[in-house]
Amino acid sequence: MAGNPLARRFGPRGVFNTFFGYDPSERRDEVAGSIPQALVFMNGANVNSGVRATGRTALAKMLSEIKDDQALVSELYLRVLAREPSSREMSTSLAYVKEVGNRNEAFEDLQWSLINSTEFLHRK
């Protein structure tokens, strides 16, 4: 695949770069999301299968290994946004996990919210 230009262009990374690539000289606060980007997140098989709380995903592994919800929230923020959550983000996230009552479902939702944030576009 590495030597095949079509595979690089139309493979998962190529598709991602087509929709999410931007000029790094642009100011971060001027980089905006687009409808095609939203559609890639909503309909893209790679993204959808990668954020599931079951199977062989990173989230499924974290859910089985990290039993403390606060530690798991921190780990998700680090992996998705490359930073720790603020105290407000932590309390909001933990309240949501408690409200949902289903840990897998709650953390899938949390991961989706982080991936769909404008901040995620700037952290790639």
Side-chain angles (χ1 to χ4, degrees):
M1 182 154 131
N4 183 342
L6 286 177
R8 280 195 309 267
R9 183 172 178 201
F10 296 108
R13 284 188 189 267
V15 170
F16 188 87
N17 283 333
T18 297
F19 290 105
F20 294 94
Y22 66 94
D23 182 353
S25 66
E26 286 184 58
R27 290 175 32 144
R28 286 190 174 200
D29 59 348
E30 293 177 0
V31 176
S34 68
I35 291 172
Q37 288 172 344
L39 291 172
V40 165
F41 281 137
M42 290 188 313
N43 301 324
N46 290 326
V47 175
N48 281 301
S49 64
V51 298
R52 296 201 193 293
T54 57
R56 296 176 51 183
T57 65
L59 180 58
K61 185 176 181 190
M62 287 187 294
L63 281 161
S64 70
E65 293 175 357
I66 304 171
K67 300 302 180 191
D68 177 64
D69 290 344
Q70 184 169 346
L72 186 50
V73 169
S74 290
E75 186 64 24
L76 271 180
Y77 268 81
L78 285 170
R79 288 185 183 215
V80 177
L81 300 179
R83 67 169 178 84
E84 292 279 344
S86 69
S87 59
R88 182 175 180 200
E89 291 166 330
M90 178 63 77
S91 62
T92 300
S93 298
L94 292 173
Y96 181 74
V97 171
K98 186 177 180 179
E99 177 186 321
V100 171
N102 178 317
R103 192 168 188 251
N104 285 4
E105 182 181 327
F107 278 98
E108 270 187 18
D109 291 347
L110 179 58
Q111 185 168 313
W112 269 114
S113 70
L114 295 174
I115 290 171
N116 284 294
S117 71
T118 304
E119 183 177 353
F120 178 75
L121 292 175
H122 302 169
R123 298 284 181 174
K124 58 177 216 159

